[in-house]
Amino acid sequence: MKPILLHEDRLFPVDEKTRGIARELYQSVRDLPIISPHGHTDPRWFAYDENFGNATELFILPDHYVFRMLYSQGITLEQLGIRRWDGGESEADPRKIWQLFADHYYLFPGTPSRMWLDTVFKNVFGLSDMLCSDNAMDYYEFITAELAKPEYKPRALMDRFNIELIATTEGALDSLTHHGHIKDTGWDKRVITTFRPDDVVDASREDFVTNVAKLGEITGEDTTSWNGYLAALRQRRQFFREHGATATDHGHPTAATADLSVAECESLFSKVLSGDSSAAEQELFRAQMLTELAGMSVEDGMVMQIHPGSFRNHNESLFKKFGRDKGHDIPMQTDYVNALKPLLNKYGNEKNLNIILFTLDETVYARELAPLAGHYPCLKLGPAWWFHDSPEGMLRFRHNVTETAGFYNTVGFNDDTRAFLSIPARHDVARRIDCRFLAQLVVEHRVADWEAAELAQQLSYNLAKNAYNLG
Amino acid sequence: MKPILLHEDRLFPVDEKTRGIARELYQSVRDLPIISPHGHTDPRWFAYDENFGNATELFILPDHYVFRMLYSQGITLEQLGIRRWDGGESEADPRKIWQLFADHYYLFPGTPSRMWLDTVFKNVFGLSDMLCSDNAMDYYEFITAELAKPEYKPRALMDRFNIELIATTEGALDSLTHHGHIKDTGWDKRVITTFRPDDVVDASREDFVTNVAKLGEITGEDTTSWNGYLAALRQRRQFFREHGATATDHGHPTAATADLSVAECESLFSKVLSGDSSAAEQELFRAQMLTELAGMSVEDGMVMQIHPGSFRNHNESLFKKFGRDKGHDIPMQTDYVNALKPLLNKYGNEKNLNIILFTLDETVYARELAPLAGHYPCLKLGPAWWFHDSPEGMLRFRHNVTETAGFYNTVGFNDDTRAFLSIPARHDVARRIDCRFLAQLVVEHRVADWEAAELAQQLSYNLAKNAYNLG
Amino acid sequence: MKPILLHEDRLFPVDEKTRGIARELYQSVRDLPIISPHGHTDPRWFAYDENFGNATELFILPDHYVFRMLYSQGITLEQLGIRRWDGGESEADPRKIWQLFADHYYLFPGTPSRMWLDTVFKNVFGLSDMLCSDNAMDYYEFITAELAKPEYKPRALMDRFNIELIATTEGALDSLTHHGHIKDTGWDKRVITTFRPDDVVDASREDFVTNVAKLGEITGEDTTSWNGYLAALRQRRQFFREHGATATDHGHPTAATADLSVAECESLFSKVLSGDSSAAEQELFRAQMLTELAGMSVEDGMVMQIHPGSFRNHNESLFKKFGRDKGHDIPMQTDYVNALKPLLNKYGNEKNLNIILFTLDETVYARELAPLAGHYPCLKLGPAWWFHDSPEGMLRFRHNVTETAGFYNTVGFNDDTRAFLSIPARHDVARRIDCRFLAQLVVEHRVADWEAAELAQQLSYNLAKNAYNLG
């Protein structure tokens, strides 16, 4: 049995002088409250405050980082108990699944998943031996027993984790019942929603036409007309704002934007609504909608998040069996400088517009994103995202964007996760890496120690709060 | 009040052994004369040697690095006193502008601008407190008063800065009056021009047709014919060479080259000259002209600099109000391996051709540029450019190109600036970073200490002199 | 005269703690046998075990890394004695060529070639002074004399180098006579072939049509029909497997794959076989063939290596004079996420498929390759290739892929060389860099010391053996 690695100086550079400064900066921010302005936790948890289930349900089934690695080494999703869409059988015994996971825990060194998991095992559950085949069942039983205790209920964990605010993400058609329930319990300041209208904007989805019809039903607008559709969206935005939303989110395949005439919009809208549109028309519609939604943000002040560049569901046969979000989304090359031009031509200099750009294509950090955010007042850069939400990824982000965009055109950290228990671990990695980056600037006499201290505070707390209008 | 950061070991790695070697290498090159073979200073300064104006005029109005950052944080160009094309009002009080700049100086830590400015404030003016809201007016008055003294005249600064040679950049139609005046004062060896024919080559410019007509007037050639146009260009090159030019410069959107038949050239030329050409035809014409100009370089020995890949004037409404070079040029993805093929097919193995390639797209360093320059005898690599003219950018350049292209296929440093007072600061950064890179190679036993010393000298002085034929 | 640099701590980071751990890890793997599962040595050497020729023949003429650098600095290939295709004259005196090389040895610091060459000079020949103009002839005579001794015969070197297994690479039409001869001498376990069918798959080659006809003659299949052609390929795969092959190799310009119907395949095949196909048809045929060959790998278990992204023979006039592999292959931007989709749709989840992906475009490491290999069970990542087979290149590889793909989706090191004597030097660089990378993870508390030790062993030996089915 080997101990869990969780050294207090983890992720700091080895050089004593730099490590000392990193450590000091980190000490000054480690206990700051967590602002989690973008993520995918389930509002149900916070609304009804029920205990979580067993270890397997909590740590394996929802974590596509974990099962994509296992799958890449020949373990099937059936063996991991992932439910099949087509009704085929999957492993039902959570213990067997946990044992399989433990048997392959040796695959994870060097990945952020290993660091997040170890942090949770040790800091949340107090475990001290590293997970392995031999202690798998002890782990399983212990965690599962702990999860049944009151102190592991979602709201108790929220307090324990010092989470000041968490934003969930809901589709345009969501009733926001759980958020409503949260509000009714007098807890409304801490869990907010985010408006993600992809389901009624992305005409390549199987359910797009149905969704737009539902949008009409919900809002009482005639969503078969372009104007009615826009009015319905405005109405939903208002409804989301009433449930705390300060931001929207857009997960498009590309960052394409467009600026068509009203007549062109009307015609394109009927085409995509006919259910018989081409891929190019669907892309153009998404592009036009980003511009429309930016216009609505100018009106209502909602912060716009753009998350482009993922080739969703790359593994066709896996998708047919298991559906979305099963670890087979692959990043693509993504252009911003041409793609965003139509939107920026129209709204780029608006005072009341805040767009946060994300990318899965790190080549654009220094080439496109930092120059764009270092010029346009409406643009800021989201943190290193998804595959790049990792120590190396975060370092590359800072090294590549800072010299052109500075720190104040970035927005702090997003955990962007559905793995609630890992949230403190994720923010901790971000704070450590930012302090490490700042410490290097200090020892190389590129920023002053007092500036680094100020910036550590900004990167850990203030920038997120300001960028998302959570002040 | 905080002191200006300007530690003697700035930008060196923290490790004592490496820092020691970096420091030693740096000591051996820090006082070498500055060769500035490519930049945008105003020849007027050196011709008439008049004092500069106030601090705001010198440090803010012409520095798009500075005002792009301020603009990105919501300060308008009007507030910064940038003159509007359309006659709209801009702030006229240089003190107010300076105060605004000082109030936002906290935006710059981690950017090269901060390091350049601090170096100038301290090393050129002897200031010791960091610029902030409180000392803004003291700074303004002090700098403005100093600028009026004889020791701050351009030629005095040129001596103080130990600039051995500086090249300016002029359009093909320039009369080179100021360079002529410099020559007449017996000072001709130190300020030379560079031939930049974009104004008569880039048919996408509003003034292209007029410019080609002017080219005809100036040279007495019939520039309505392809042959006359080429003859006129040859004549201008000769005229520029008489004013010291050893190099040409080409700022095209892409690195595309072409090799058309004479008949095709003639037909394309009349098309672009008609003022009614498509974007594709304009691109093809620029592409063909790079090859034509390479052919002229084979004839007359002028070194050819290619600076592709900037999306100029990305912010449409800003461009309409304020025009070019206002901090809204954004880098684009740039291909070289296919783009340069036609030119290289024709002239790639010519003994008498020297082409220096630059890029804003760092992904091509290791993938395209180092392999191209590590093979073709006519190709060399310019230093990290513009957004990448920074400590991190320079390190990425060396780390990515050296293993394939070595050091001798690179050409030393270019400051490429119009900010005359920052020239020593910029060369200083380059020398520090190169010494740092070499020191790392030494401590990792990858190059010998005596090799590093030789290379430091080459990178700081000799390579630039040789590559630009300034020997 | 200066000593050769070959410090026992070369390539390790300077920090004492990290260096200590790197050194210890390295000590544990430095003497492991070499597995060389992909390369281009000549099977003749091992079959007939004759002495090599002189120093120039061995070190300069076949090493395009060396002469591309010399060529880039104005030395002609004629001066280097490279044989011209067109019968033109080249330098014939190996001493003159060696002297020229020595005179320009100063061009190489910072390149892997310098480190490989110095390692061979010192470790294989026992030389201690660095090569320079003055000692050039001593070097030449000494090396040439040594090469004539029995201990420098290929098989003796194979033992001395501790090479457990080496794979050569042969075209589909190769008779494998030398491998047959090796087998007959009872030495069959150590030198195996690899099936590289580019000559009968790439219809852009001048000799494609002839090659397919020869394929028919050799196999007795009717290679004018699609089915006969496929049957012939299957037969050749079987023949290669009988000569030890466990893998195939595919050097396509892009990673494009396709999945056409049989009728489309038949029609495309007759088109390319007509010798009158377009570039697009040739690309589609290569794309379809990757998928066909993957299908054959599913059947026969051969590991598939894909090496895409080189623009071969970029220098047209050099190609006409000197032919292929003369240092003028230039990497291109390469897409995998879209390109591989058709193949992966068809075979991506097959249990019996192993594809090793290589790239010359490092931008895909974190963006495409690590996510693909971190999901698809059939995909693994080959090591940093060609221009990136270097200390910096290897570090970029590990830093960019590990967090998403881990270590077990990589396959250890390939030397990929025809420079037999440099093989230990190349594996030594890889082992040092991997140990360095692991040591950094250890000192930053990201992996445990015992994990690092296990991983060092995997990266140096086991992963290669497993990935190529050499167990």
Side-chain angles (χ1 to χ4, degrees):
Chain A
M1 223 76 87
K2 306 285 186 179
I4 286 179
L5 271 189
L6 210 70
H7 196 280
E8 57 180 3
D9 283 336
R10 63 188 178 280
L11 297 177
F12 294 155
V14 67
D15 167 73
E16 274 310 319
K17 204 183 293 176
T18 321
R19 180 169 286 193
I21 294 171
R23 198 189 283 137
E24 209 174 310
L25 290 169
Y26 172 68
Q27 289 304 335
S28 75
V29 298
R30 70 176 294 167
D31 296 327
L32 287 175
I34 287 174
I35 301 288
S36 173
H38 175 66
H40 299 276
T41 50
D42 189 338
R44 227 177 288 244
W45 299 334
F46 310 112
Y48 313 108
D49 204 31
E50 290 168 7
N51 282 92
F52 292 103
N54 61 50
T56 297
E57 261 175 67
L58 192 62
F59 288 112
I60 304 177
L61 304 192
D63 191 339
H64 54 72
Y65 285 85
V66 165
F67 60 70
R68 77 194 312 282
M69 176 63 92
L70 299 175
Y71 188 73
S72 80
Q73 290 283 317
I75 297 169
T76 65
L77 296 192
E78 285 89 344
Q79 287 175 283
L80 292 169
I82 309 297
R83 207 167 23 180
R84 285 176 60 159
W85 266 12
D86 60 1
E89 290 215 347
S90 285
E91 181 56 56
D93 180 350
R95 282 172 183 79
K96 268 199 195 158
I97 298 167
W98 187 267
Q99 182 69 51
L100 194 64
F101 169 49
D103 292 345
H104 292 85
Y105 203 57
Y106 73 92
L107 294 173
F108 291 91
T111 68
S113 293
R114 224 292 282 277
M115 187 162 284
W116 298 330
L117 286 162
D118 278 356
T119 308
V120 173
F121 293 154
K122 185 156 184 180
N123 285 355
V124 181
F125 292 95
L127 291 158
S128 57
D129 288 332
M130 194 183 287
L131 179 63
C132 63
S133 296
D134 289 347
N135 62 19
M137 283 305 98
D138 293 345
Y139 246 78
Y140 179 84
E141 302 299 348
F142 181 78
I143 289 174
T144 303
E146 289 292 291
L147 288 176
K149 297 182 179 169
E151 57 263 42
Y152 285 90
K153 284 180 188 285
R155 291 182 174 209
L157 288 175
M158 189 98 163
D159 288 334
R160 180 171 166 198
F161 294 168
N162 196 15
I163 298 175
E164 180 177 321
L165 179 139
I166 193 164
T168 65
T169 303
E170 275 72 40
L173 305 175
D174 198 286
S175 63
L176 303 184
T177 317
H178 311 310
H179 289 83
H181 186 84
I182 294 169
K183 253 178 32 174
D184 295 342
T185 63
W187 222 57
D188 61 306
K189 283 274 175 49
R190 301 183 61 188
V191 179
I192 63 178
T193 183
T194 302
F195 181 65
R196 177 147 176 169
D198 296 355
D199 44 359
V200 295
V201 161
D202 184 352
S204 74
R205 295 172 62 116
E206 322 75 61
D207 53 3
F208 170 72
V209 176
T210 330
N211 289 342
V212 173
K214 278 191 204 151
L215 180 66
E217 286 163 35
I218 292 170
T219 57
E221 296 286 349
D222 171 14
T223 56
T224 64
S225 85
W226 174 239
N227 273 331
Y229 169 72
L230 295 180
L233 285 171
R234 280 191 176 86
Q235 203 189 113
R236 292 308 287 168
R237 294 169 70 100
Q238 171 63 25
F239 180 68
F240 272 66
R241 281 201 304 288
E242 287 159 11
H243 289 76
T246 66
T248 70
D249 184 29
H250 311 279
H252 291 198
T254 74
T257 65
D259 186 16
L260 305 176
S261 70
V262 173
E264 288 166 324
C265 289
E266 286 171 342
S267 143
L268 180 60
F269 182 62
S270 13
K271 192 70 196 296
V272 295
L273 213 58
S274 73
D276 185 34
S277 50
S278 68
E281 286 163 338
Q282 294 162 2
E283 170 74 353
L284 183 59
F285 186 70
R286 285 187 301 259
Q288 177 61 30
M289 286 310 298
L290 276 191
T291 308
E292 297 292 339
L293 291 158
M296 295 184 196
S297 277
V298 172
E299 294 167 17
D300 64 20
M302 290 180 91
V303 175
M304 188 174 191
Q305 300 171 90
I306 306 182
H307 283 95
S310 177
F311 190 131
R312 302 271 170 183
N313 312 309
H314 193 270
N315 189 332
E316 208 169 86
S317 63
L318 205 78
F319 177 61
K320 280 181 193 145
K321 277 206 275 184
F322 297 96
R324 295 174 175 270
D325 297 327
K326 292 299 172 292
H328 52 115
D329 300 333
I330 310 288
M332 286 182 296
Q333 208 184 326
T334 309
D335 159 74
Y336 294 78
V337 67
N338 295 293
L340 293 175
K341 188 93 172 61
L343 187 160
L344 292 170
N345 278 353
K346 189 153 190 182
Y347 296 121
N349 301 289
E350 286 290 341
K351 291 281 171 203
N352 198 31
L353 181 60
N354 289 294
I355 301 176
I356 302 175
L357 298 175
F358 294 81
T359 197
L360 294 175
D361 179 357
E362 294 173 306
T363 67
V364 303
Y365 282 159
R367 189 181 64 214
E368 304 180 25
L369 292 188
L372 285 166
H375 165 70
Y376 281 99
C378 64
L379 297 181
K380 291 209 166 41
L381 303 186
W385 176 38
W386 198 340
F387 296 93
H388 312 305
D389 175 11
S390 64
E392 302 284 337
M394 289 171 185
L395 280 172
R396 284 196 292 267
F397 176 79
R398 290 282 173 220
H399 279 283
N400 279 286
V401 312
T402 306
E403 293 183 319
T404 292
F407 291 98
Y408 287 89
N409 285 308
T410 65
V411 305
F413 182 63
N414 283 184
D415 54 70
D416 198 4
T417 191
R418 60 201 79 220
F420 180 51
L421 270 70
S422 74
I423 287 178
R426 291 168 190 253
H427 285 260
D428 187 66
V429 171
R431 290 175 184 187
R432 286 174 181 274
I433 292 292
D434 280 336
C435 290
R436 171 195 180 136
F437 178 72
L438 290 167
Q440 195 195 335
L441 294 185
V442 171
V443 296
E444 295 180 1
H445 309 290
R446 294 155 77 176
V447 308
D449 48 6
W450 58 271
E451 292 178 304
E454 233 172 72
L455 289 165
Q457 173 86 24
Q458 289 286 340
L459 300 180
S460 302
Y461 183 80
N462 309 47
L463 288 179
K465 214 158 164 176
N466 295 338
Y468 286 87
N469 292 333
L470 303 169
Chain B
M1 223 75 88
K2 305 285 186 178
I4 286 179
L5 272 188
L6 210 69
H7 196 281
E8 57 181 3
D9 284 335
R10 64 188 177 277
L11 298 177
F12 295 155
V14 68
D15 167 74
E16 274 309 319
K17 204 183 293 177
T18 321
R19 181 168 284 192
I21 294 171
R23 196 190 283 138
E24 208 174 310
L25 290 170
Y26 172 68
Q27 289 304 335
S28 75
V29 299
R30 71 176 295 166
D31 296 328
L32 288 174
I34 287 175
I35 300 287
S36 174
H38 175 67
H40 299 277
T41 51
D42 190 338
R44 229 178 287 246
W45 299 334
F46 311 111
Y48 313 108
D49 205 31
E50 290 168 7
N51 282 91
F52 293 102
N54 62 50
T56 298
E57 261 175 65
L58 192 61
F59 288 111
I60 304 177
L61 304 191
D63 191 341
H64 54 72
Y65 284 85
V66 165
F67 59 71
R68 76 193 314 282
M69 175 62 93
L70 299 174
Y71 188 73
S72 79
Q73 288 284 316
I75 297 168
T76 65
L77 296 192
E78 286 88 345
Q79 287 175 283
L80 292 169
I82 309 296
R83 207 167 22 181
R84 285 176 59 159
W85 265 11
D86 60 1
E89 290 217 343
S90 286
E91 181 56 56
D93 181 348
R95 282 173 182 79
K96 269 199 196 157
I97 298 167
W98 187 265
Q99 182 69 50
L100 194 63
F101 169 50
D103 292 344
H104 292 85
Y105 203 56
Y106 72 92
L107 295 173
F108 290 93
T111 69
S113 292
R114 224 290 283 277
M115 187 162 282
W116 299 329
L117 286 162
D118 278 356
T119 309
V120 173
F121 293 154
K122 185 156 184 180
N123 285 355
V124 181
F125 292 96
L127 291 157
S128 57
D129 287 332
M130 195 183 287
L131 179 62
C132 63
S133 296
D134 289 346
N135 63 20
M137 283 304 99
D138 294 345
Y139 246 79
Y140 179 86
E141 302 299 349
F142 180 78
I143 289 174
T144 304
E146 289 292 293
L147 287 175
K149 297 183 178 169
E151 56 265 41
Y152 286 88
K153 284 179 187 285
R155 291 182 175 209
L157 288 175
M158 188 98 163
D159 287 335
R160 181 172 164 198
F161 294 166
N162 196 15
I163 298 175
E164 180 177 319
L165 178 140
I166 194 164
T168 65
T169 303
E170 275 72 41
L173 304 174
D174 198 286
S175 64
L176 304 184
T177 317
H178 312 309
H179 289 84
H181 186 83
I182 294 168
K183 255 181 27 179
D184 295 344
T185 63
W187 222 56
D188 60 309
K189 283 278 175 48
R190 300 182 62 189
V191 179
I192 62 178
T193 183
T194 302
F195 181 65
R196 178 148 175 168
D198 296 356
D199 43 0
V200 295
V201 160
D202 184 352
S204 74
R205 296 172 62 115
E206 322 75 59
D207 54 3
F208 170 73
V209 176
T210 331
N211 289 342
V212 174
K214 277 191 204 151
L215 179 67
E217 286 163 33
I218 292 170
T219 58
E221 297 285 349
D222 171 14
T223 55
T224 64
S225 84
W226 173 239
N227 272 331
Y229 170 72
L230 295 181
L233 286 171
R234 282 192 174 86
Q235 204 190 111
R236 292 307 288 169
R237 292 170 71 101
Q238 171 63 24
F239 180 69
F240 272 67
R241 280 201 305 288
E242 286 160 11
H243 289 75
T246 67
T248 70
D249 184 28
H250 311 278
H252 291 200
T254 74
T257 65
D259 186 17
L260 305 175
S261 69
V262 172
E264 288 167 323
C265 288
E266 286 170 344
S267 142
L268 180 60
F269 182 62
S270 14
K271 193 69 196 296
V272 296
L273 213 57
S274 73
D276 185 34
S277 51
S278 69
E281 287 162 338
Q282 293 162 4
E283 170 74 352
L284 183 60
F285 186 69
R286 286 188 300 260
Q288 177 62 29
M289 285 311 297
L290 275 191
T291 308
E292 297 292 339
L293 290 158
M296 295 185 197
S297 276
V298 172
E299 293 167 18
D300 65 20
M302 290 180 91
V303 175
M304 189 173 191
Q305 297 171 92
I306 305 181
H307 282 95
S310 177
F311 190 130
R312 303 272 169 182
N313 311 311
H314 192 270
N315 190 330
E316 208 169 84
S317 64
L318 205 79
F319 177 62
K320 279 180 194 147
K321 277 208 275 185
F322 297 96
R324 295 175 175 270
D325 298 326
K326 291 300 172 292
H328 53 115
D329 300 333
I330 310 287
M332 288 182 294
Q333 208 184 326
T334 308
D335 159 74
Y336 293 78
V337 66
N338 295 293
L340 293 175
K341 187 92 171 60
L343 187 160
L344 292 171
N345 277 352
K346 189 155 189 181
Y347 296 121
N349 301 290
E350 286 290 341
K351 291 280 172 203
N352 198 31
L353 181 61
N354 289 294
I355 300 176
I356 301 175
L357 298 175
F358 295 80
T359 196
L360 294 175
D361 179 355
E362 294 174 306
T363 67
V364 303
Y365 283 160
R367 188 181 64 214
E368 304 181 23
L369 292 188
L372 285 166
H375 165 70
Y376 281 99
C378 63
L379 297 181
K380 291 208 168 40
L381 303 186
W385 176 39
W386 198 339
F387 296 93
H388 312 306
D389 175 11
S390 64
E392 303 284 336
M394 289 172 184
L395 280 173
R396 285 196 291 267
F397 176 78
R398 291 282 173 220
H399 279 283
N400 279 286
V401 312
T402 306
E403 294 183 320
T404 292
F407 292 98
Y408 287 89
N409 286 307
T410 66
V411 306
F413 182 64
N414 283 184
D415 54 70
D416 198 4
T417 192
R418 62 201 78 220
F420 180 51
L421 270 69
S422 74
I423 287 179
R426 290 168 189 254
H427 285 260
D428 188 65
V429 170
R431 290 175 184 188
R432 286 174 182 274
I433 292 292
D434 282 335
C435 290
R436 169 195 182 136
F437 179 73
L438 289 167
Q440 196 196 335
L441 294 185
V442 171
V443 296
E444 295 181 0
H445 309 292
R446 293 156 77 176
V447 308
D449 47 6
W450 59 270
E451 291 177 305
E454 232 171 75
L455 288 165
Q457 173 86 25
Q458 289 286 339
L459 300 179
S460 302
Y461 183 79
N462 308 48
L463 288 179
K465 213 159 165 176
N466 294 339
Y468 285 88
N469 292 334
L470 304 170
Chain C
M1 222 76 85
K2 304 284 186 179
I4 286 179
L5 271 188
L6 210 69
H7 196 281
E8 57 180 3
D9 284 336
R10 66 188 176 277
L11 298 178
F12 294 155
V14 67
D15 168 73
E16 274 311 318
K17 204 182 295 176
T18 321
R19 181 169 283 193
I21 294 171
R23 197 190 283 138
E24 209 174 309
L25 290 169
Y26 172 68
Q27 289 304 334
S28 76
V29 298
R30 71 175 295 166
D31 295 327
L32 287 174
I34 287 174
I35 301 288
S36 174
H38 176 65
H40 298 277
T41 51
D42 190 337
R44 228 177 286 248
W45 299 334
F46 310 111
Y48 313 108
D49 204 31
E50 291 168 6
N51 283 90
F52 292 103
N54 61 51
T56 298
E57 260 175 67
L58 192 61
F59 287 111
I60 305 177
L61 304 192
D63 191 339
H64 54 73
Y65 284 85
V66 165
F67 60 71
R68 78 194 311 282
M69 175 63 92
L70 299 174
Y71 188 72
S72 79
Q73 288 284 317
I75 297 168
T76 65
L77 296 192
E78 286 88 345
Q79 287 175 283
L80 292 169
I82 309 296
R83 208 169 18 182
R84 286 177 58 159
W85 264 11
D86 60 1
E89 290 217 346
S90 284
E91 181 57 57
D93 180 348
R95 282 172 182 79
K96 268 199 196 159
I97 297 167
W98 186 266
Q99 182 69 51
L100 194 63
F101 169 49
D103 291 345
H104 292 85
Y105 203 56
Y106 73 92
L107 295 173
F108 290 91
T111 68
S113 292
R114 225 291 281 277
M115 187 161 284
W116 298 329
L117 286 163
D118 279 356
T119 308
V120 173
F121 294 155
K122 185 154 183 181
N123 285 355
V124 181
F125 292 96
L127 291 157
S128 57
D129 288 332
M130 193 183 287
L131 179 63
C132 63
S133 295
D134 290 346
N135 63 19
M137 284 304 98
D138 293 344
Y139 247 77
Y140 179 85
E141 301 300 347
F142 180 78
I143 288 174
T144 303
E146 289 292 291
L147 288 175
K149 296 183 180 170
E151 57 264 41
Y152 285 89
K153 284 178 188 287
R155 290 181 173 209
L157 289 174
M158 188 97 162
D159 287 336
R160 181 171 164 197
F161 293 167
N162 196 16
I163 298 175
E164 181 178 319
L165 179 140
I166 194 165
T168 65
T169 303
E170 275 72 41
L173 304 174
D174 198 286
S175 63
L176 303 184
T177 317
H178 312 310
H179 289 83
H181 186 83
I182 294 168
K183 252 176 31 172
D184 294 343
T185 63
W187 222 56
D188 59 310
K189 283 273 175 52
R190 300 183 61 189
V191 180
I192 63 178
T193 183
T194 302
F195 181 64
R196 178 149 176 167
D198 296 355
D199 44 359
V200 296
V201 161
D202 184 351
S204 74
R205 295 172 61 117
E206 321 76 60
D207 54 2
F208 170 73
V209 176
T210 331
N211 289 343
V212 174
K214 276 190 204 151
L215 179 67
E217 287 163 32
I218 292 170
T219 57
E221 296 285 348
D222 171 15
T223 56
T224 63
S225 85
W226 174 239
N227 273 330
Y229 170 71
L230 295 180
L233 286 172
R234 281 191 175 86
Q235 203 188 114
R236 292 308 287 170
R237 292 169 71 100
Q238 170 63 24
F239 179 68
F240 272 66
R241 280 201 304 288
E242 286 160 12
H243 289 75
T246 66
T248 70
D249 184 29
H250 310 279
H252 290 198
T254 74
T257 65
D259 186 16
L260 305 176
S261 69
V262 173
E264 287 167 324
C265 289
E266 285 170 343
S267 143
L268 180 60
F269 182 62
S270 12
K271 193 70 197 296
V272 296
L273 212 58
S274 73
D276 186 34
S277 51
S278 69
E281 287 162 338
Q282 293 161 4
E283 171 74 352
L284 183 59
F285 187 69
R286 286 187 301 259
Q288 178 61 28
M289 285 310 297
L290 276 191
T291 308
E292 297 292 340
L293 290 158
M296 295 184 196
S297 276
V298 172
E299 293 167 16
D300 64 20
M302 291 180 89
V303 175
M304 190 173 189
Q305 298 171 91
I306 305 182
H307 282 95
S310 176
F311 190 130
R312 303 271 170 182
N313 312 310
H314 192 270
N315 189 329
E316 207 169 88
S317 64
L318 205 79
F319 177 62
K320 280 182 193 146
K321 277 207 275 186
F322 297 96
R324 293 176 176 269
D325 297 326
K326 293 300 173 291
H328 53 115
D329 300 334
I330 310 289
M332 287 183 294
Q333 208 183 328
T334 308
D335 158 74
Y336 293 79
V337 66
N338 294 294
L340 293 175
K341 187 92 171 64
L343 187 160
L344 292 170
N345 277 353
K346 189 154 190 182
Y347 296 121
N349 301 289
E350 285 290 342
K351 292 280 170 201
N352 197 32
L353 181 61
N354 288 293
I355 300 177
I356 301 175
L357 298 175
F358 294 80
T359 197
L360 294 175
D361 179 355
E362 294 173 306
T363 67
V364 303
Y365 282 159
R367 189 180 64 215
E368 305 181 23
L369 292 188
L372 285 166
H375 165 69
Y376 281 99
C378 64
L379 296 181
K380 292 207 166 42
L381 303 186
W385 175 38
W386 198 338
F387 296 93
H388 313 305
D389 175 11
S390 64
E392 302 284 337
M394 290 172 185
L395 280 172
R396 285 195 292 266
F397 176 79
R398 291 280 173 222
H399 279 283
N400 278 286
V401 312
T402 305
E403 293 182 320
T404 292
F407 292 100
Y408 287 89
N409 286 308
T410 65
V411 304
F413 182 63
N414 283 184
D415 55 69
D416 198 5
T417 192
R418 59 201 80 221
F420 181 51
L421 271 69
S422 74
I423 287 178
R426 290 168 189 253
H427 285 260
D428 188 66
V429 170
R431 290 175 183 187
R432 285 174 180 276
I433 293 293
D434 281 335
C435 290
R436 169 194 181 137
F437 178 73
L438 290 167
Q440 196 195 335
L441 295 185
V442 171
V443 296
E444 294 180 2
H445 308 290
R446 295 155 76 175
V447 308
D449 48 6
W450 58 270
E451 291 178 305
E454 233 171 74
L455 288 166
Q457 172 86 26
Q458 289 287 339
L459 299 180
S460 302
Y461 183 79
N462 308 48
L463 288 178
K465 214 159 166 177
N466 294 338
Y468 285 89
N469 292 334
L470 304 169

